Amino acid sequence: MDKLDEIHSRLKDHIQGRILILAHHNADPDALCSAFSFKALSETLNPEVDARIYMPGGISALTKSLVT
């Protein structure tokens, strides 16, 4: 088993149930994209996962302009 397969296997074993993905206050585009990437990875490794993104401190003006 190569390193990538080992990482995939370990992640798959640990990603289950409900996952809450948090970002920092005034989240920049990098924080938002990282959160969506982790959500997609989680749901790909385990389709039964309920992954949700929450930005408790909101997103930055730049991020808002990119997503609207």
Side-chain angles (χ1 to χ4, degrees):
M1 177 182 296
D2 68 1
K3 285 285 189 189
L4 190 56
D5 288 336
E6 182 180 341
I7 292 169
H8 180 267
S9 177
R10 286 184 183 202
L11 281 174
K12 192 170 185 176
D13 289 343
H14 293 289
I15 295 177
Q16 47 188 291
R18 286 194 231 163
I19 298 174
L20 179 61
I21 304 163
L22 300 170
H24 56 78
H25 174 75
N26 202 29
D28 55 7
D30 183 54
L32 183 67
C33 290
S34 295
F36 275 104
S37 296
F38 189 74
K39 177 179 170 54
L41 174 66
S42 300
E43 292 171 346
T44 298
L45 290 174
N46 184 349
E48 295 179 13
V49 161
D50 179 18
R52 298 183 184 202
I53 298 171
Y54 182 57
M55 309 275 171
I59 60 176
S60 70
L62 174 61
T63 306
K64 283 180 188 175
S65 70
L66 291 172
V67 297
T68 57

